[in-house]
Amino acid sequence: MLQMLKMGDRNDRVPMMTRRTRRTTICATPAGANSKQANGSAGEKTSSQPSHSNRKVKEEKRVHEPVTTPRKERSKTSERFSCHVLQESLLSSASGYSNYRGILNWCVVMLVLCNARLFLENLIKYGILVDPIQVVSLFLKDPYNWPASCLIIVSNVFIMAALYTERRLSVGTISETTGTFLYLVNLTTLLFFPSATVLTLTSITPVGGAFALCVYTILFMKLYSYKDVNMWCREIRHTKARTLTRSHSCPSFAQSNGSAVHTHVSYPGNLTHRDIYYFVFAPTLCYELNFPRSPRIRKSFLLRRLFEMLFFIQLQIGLVQQWMVPTIQNSMKPFQDMDFSRMIERMLKLAVPNHLIWLIFFYWFFHSSMNFVAELMRFGDREFYQDWWNSETVTYFWSNWNIPVHKWCLRHFYKPLMGRGVNKWVAQTAIFLVSAFFHEYLVSVPLKMFRLWAFMGMMSQIPLAWFVGRFLRGNYGNAAVWISLIIGQPIAVLMYVHDFYVLHYVSQS
C-alpha cells in the first residue's frame, strides 16, 4: 500500500516536473528562437514528435506577443479608431490642389444665367429689334450702287503692279533703286487711294468703307512682305540658269497613286499670277516661295467651319442690334449732360455685350473663317492664335491673340530694326505706334472724323504693359489684362459713337 502510494506520488510528481521544465524552457527561449536551443532530450523529442513541436512554437508565440509588442498593439488600435491626419485645406496654396473644373463650370452656369436674365429684360423692354434688311443697308445705301465692292475690285491694279515690278527686277531690266521707288509709290497709293475715295464719296456707308479699308490694309501688308522676300531671294541668288518654273505655292500637280506630287519652286519661278493670287487669298500676311500644304481637303471639317461661320455671324448681328444699339442710344443723354455716375453705369452695362461680341468675333474670324479658307486652299500652317487668354502681361497678349499680324511685325519690322542696332524698347514702341496708326486709320476714315481715340487707346498699352510687367505677376497680371480688354473697348466705342452722334445728328438739328 505504501509502495503504491509512493509510486502514485512519484507518478504525480513527474508530470509536474515535466510541466515546470516546459514552462521554464518557454520562458528562457527568446522570441523567434528554434526549439533546438532546448536540451538534447528535448531536441530528440522534437525530431521524433513534430506535432508536439508545432504546438510548442504556437505556445511560444502566444506567450511572447503581449510581452514584446505592446506599443505596436496600441498604435494599431489608435490607427483603427483615428480619423485625423496632418493636412492642408484644399483652397490653401500649400495643398497643391489644382482641379477647379467644377468651379469653372459653376462660373459658366452663372454667366449664362445672368446674361439670360439681361437678355430677357432686354426683350421685355424693347421687343425684338433684329432686322436682317437693316444689315444690308449698313453696307449699301443704294442697291444699284456698290462703291465698296468696286473699290475692292480696283485693288487688283496694285497686285499687278507689284508682280510686274518684281519680274523686271528679276531679269535686271530695272535697278534696285528704281524698284524700291516703284514699290514706295505703289504701297503709298495703296493706303491713300482708298481712304481718299471713302472720304470723298457720299454713297459709301461707314461699314462698307471700313470693310474696304480692311481689305486694302491686309493687301498692303501682304505686298510689303512680297517685296521683302523677293528682295532677299535676289540677294542670295547666285549666277546660274534662270528659268521660270511653276510655283509650289499654287502648284499644278499630277496624281501618282492617289497622292499629289509637287514641284519645289525657286526664285524667280515664283513670279506668276497663280502664285501671287494664292498668296493674296491665303490666310497669312507673310510670303513664302513654298508654303506648307495639307495633303487633301477634308469635307467634313470644311462643312463644320462653314456652319460656324454662318451661325456666329448671325449671332453677332443679332446681339449688336438687340443688345448693343439700345444701350448705346441710352448712353447719349448722360454724355451730353456730363453725368459721370450715369456715364460709368452705361459704360459697365455696355461692357458685357461688347466683350461677348468681341469673343464671338474672335472665334468666328480666327478659328472658323481662317480655318475654312486654309482648308479650302490646303494651306498647312493653321496657327492663327495661341493661348492669349492665359496672358500674364500685355505684351504676351498682343503677341499671341493675332499670330499672322505678330509674325508680320516680327519678320518685317521688329527684326530689321534690331538688325540696324535699334534698342529693343524703341523697336517695341515703334510697333505699337504703327499698330495705333492702323487702328485709327480703320476707324476714323470710315466715320469721316478724326478723334484719335483708337490711337490713344493703343498707345496707352505701352505704359500699361510696363506697369503690369513690373508690378503684377501670375493671376494678378492675367486679371489686369482681362480688365483692360473688358473696360477699354466700351470706352472707345462710346467715345466714337458719341462724337459721331454729335457730328451728324445734333449739329444737323
Side-chain angles (χ1 to χ4, degrees):
M1 207 49 197
L2 288 170
Q3 286 180 356
M4 291 178 63
L5 287 173
K6 286 178 183 178
M7 290 281 295
D9 290 342
R10 194 178 300 144
N11 290 337
D12 289 339
R13 277 200 297 268
V14 170
M16 288 298 292
M17 287 175 64
T18 305
R19 269 188 230 114
R20 283 177 189 168
T21 306
R22 192 176 298 158
R23 258 190 222 116
T24 307
T25 305
I26 292 172
C27 294
T29 306
N34 258 338
S35 59
K36 290 181 181 180
Q37 292 179 357
N39 52 25
S41 61
E44 292 171 3
K45 200 176 283 188
T46 301
S47 60
S48 61
Q49 297 179 357
S51 59
H52 180 67
S53 68
N54 290 340
R55 278 199 303 271
K56 188 191 295 185
V57 171
K58 290 180 181 178
E59 288 177 5
E60 289 177 6
K61 288 183 179 179
R62 209 178 294 120
V63 170
H64 283 282
E65 276 179 0
V67 177
T68 56
T69 57
R71 291 182 182 176
K72 289 183 180 179
E73 291 249 342
R74 264 188 249 118
S75 63
K76 286 182 179 179
T77 305
S78 62
E79 286 177 4
R80 186 181 302 169
F81 296 107
S82 79
C83 60
H84 298 286
V85 286
L86 184 65
Q87 58 184 340
E88 296 286 345
S89 298
L90 285 184
L91 297 181
S92 299
S93 58
S95 66
Y97 183 77
S98 59
N99 185 12
Y100 297 103
R101 185 181 60 180
I103 296 178
L104 178 63
N105 293 335
W106 171 79
C107 291
V108 172
V109 170
M110 291 298 295
L111 182 65
V112 170
L113 291 176
C114 292
N115 287 317
R117 186 199 67 81
L118 292 174
F119 188 73
L120 183 61
E121 179 185 359
N122 181 278
L123 283 176
I124 295 172
K125 188 175 182 180
Y126 302 107
I128 298 176
L129 301 177
V130 179
D131 185 5
I133 300 176
Q134 188 182 13
V135 178
V136 179
S137 66
L138 293 175
F139 290 90
L140 299 172
K141 286 184 177 179
D142 184 0
Y144 299 102
N145 189 9
W146 295 34
S149 302
C150 294
L151 192 59
I152 293 173
I153 293 173
V154 173
S155 65
N156 289 279
V157 175
F158 301 97
I159 299 173
M160 290 296 99
L163 176 61
Y164 285 103
T165 300
E166 284 298 333
R167 284 188 172 182
R168 300 284 77 77
L169 285 168
S170 67
V171 296
T173 306
I174 59 177
S175 64
E176 288 290 334
T177 305
T178 305
T180 303
F181 175 75
L182 292 176
Y183 259 113
L184 180 64
V185 173
N186 189 34
L187 294 177
T188 305
T189 309
L190 186 62
L191 282 181
F192 287 100
F193 169 71
S195 59
T197 305
V198 170
L199 291 172
T200 304
L201 291 179
T202 57
S203 59
I204 193 166
T205 63
V207 177
F211 181 75
L213 289 179
C214 283
V215 172
Y216 271 83
T217 302
I218 293 172
L219 187 60
F220 170 84
M221 300 176 78
K222 283 177 176 283
L223 293 183
Y224 190 94
S225 178
Y226 189 74
K227 171 192 78 71
D228 272 0
V229 172
N230 284 293
M231 181 184 66
W232 297 337
C233 289
R234 285 192 301 272
E235 290 175 353
I236 63 174
R237 183 178 59 174
H238 302 289
T239 55
K240 57 183 179 180
R242 301 180 180 94
T243 55
L244 286 173
T245 59
R246 287 305 191 108
S247 171
H248 179 56
S249 300
C250 187
S252 173
F253 55 88
Q255 294 290 332
S256 175
N257 297 327
S259 60
V261 179
H262 299 287
T263 305
H264 189 83
V265 69
S266 59
Y267 184 84
N270 61 308
L271 303 179
T272 62
H273 292 85
R274 296 184 68 179
D275 179 88
I276 193 171
Y277 273 104
Y278 180 88
F279 172 57
V280 166
F281 288 100
T284 180
L285 299 175
C286 295
Y287 177 69
E288 288 184 14
L289 273 69
N290 299 282
F291 289 110
R293 305 295 301 277
S294 55
R296 62 184 181 85
I297 297 176
R298 297 168 294 179
K299 294 182 178 60
S300 59
F301 181 87
L302 197 69
L303 290 175
R304 284 198 303 270
R305 299 290 84 80
L306 179 61
F307 173 77
E308 290 175 355
M309 288 171 59
L310 297 176
F311 173 75
F312 283 116
I313 190 63
Q314 295 295 329
L315 181 61
Q316 289 178 82
I317 292 171
L319 289 175
V320 169
Q321 291 181 326
Q322 186 69 41
W323 203 348
M324 279 194 69
V325 172
T327 305
I328 292 173
Q329 290 175 345
N330 295 334
S331 302
M332 294 300 101
K333 187 70 167 58
F335 270 84
Q336 291 175 357
D337 299 339
M338 296 304 291
D339 187 351
F340 290 102
S341 60
R342 293 284 294 170
M343 287 167 58
I344 294 173
E345 186 269 336
R346 292 287 102 183
M347 181 191 69
L348 293 176
K349 188 173 183 179
L350 181 63
V352 176
N354 176 83
H355 189 65
L356 182 60
I357 292 169
W358 181 79
L359 291 175
I360 295 173
F361 170 79
F362 166 80
Y363 187 88
W364 171 79
F365 184 77
F366 286 100
H367 185 75
S368 302
S369 301
M370 296 189 77
N371 269 292
F372 176 82
V373 176
E375 190 69 25
L376 195 63
M377 301 183 71
R378 294 178 43 239
F379 185 78
D381 187 1
R382 308 294 176 89
E383 189 186 39
F384 306 123
Y385 56 89
Q386 289 183 358
D387 60 335
W388 57 265
W389 46 86
N390 294 325
S391 302
E392 297 179 2
T393 60
V394 176
T395 53
Y396 186 87
F397 167 78
W398 288 109
S399 301
N400 290 276
W401 94 281
N402 191 341
I403 295 297
V405 171
H406 171 68
K407 285 182 178 179
W408 187 92
C409 291
L410 192 67
R411 186 192 196 194
H412 299 287
F413 199 81
Y414 182 77
K415 287 184 177 179
L417 287 178
M418 295 291 289
R420 291 184 175 90
V422 177
N423 190 307
K424 179 181 179 180
W425 178 255
V426 176
Q428 290 179 349
T429 305
I431 290 177
F432 273 105
L433 187 65
V434 172
S435 180
F437 166 77
F438 279 109
H439 276 77
E440 189 64 38
Y441 174 80
L442 294 174
V443 177
S444 291
V445 175
L447 294 177
K448 299 179 182 180
M449 62 179 191
F450 300 94
R451 295 295 186 272
L452 299 179
W453 297 120
F455 183 87
M456 289 189 293
M458 280 302 302
M459 293 308 295
S460 66
Q461 298 294 305
I462 298 175
L464 179 64
W466 175 83
F467 176 80
V468 173
R470 183 73 180 273
F471 298 103
L472 300 176
R473 294 290 181 182
N475 292 332
Y476 297 103
N478 183 252
V481 172
W482 278 112
I483 290 172
S484 67
L485 292 174
I486 296 172
I487 302 299
Q489 292 177 3
I491 293 176
V493 170
L494 286 176
M495 292 297 181
Y496 276 108
V497 171
H498 171 262
D499 292 348
F500 186 82
Y501 177 79
V502 171
L503 186 64
H504 290 83
Y505 294 99
V506 176
S507 59
Q508 291 178 2
S509 60

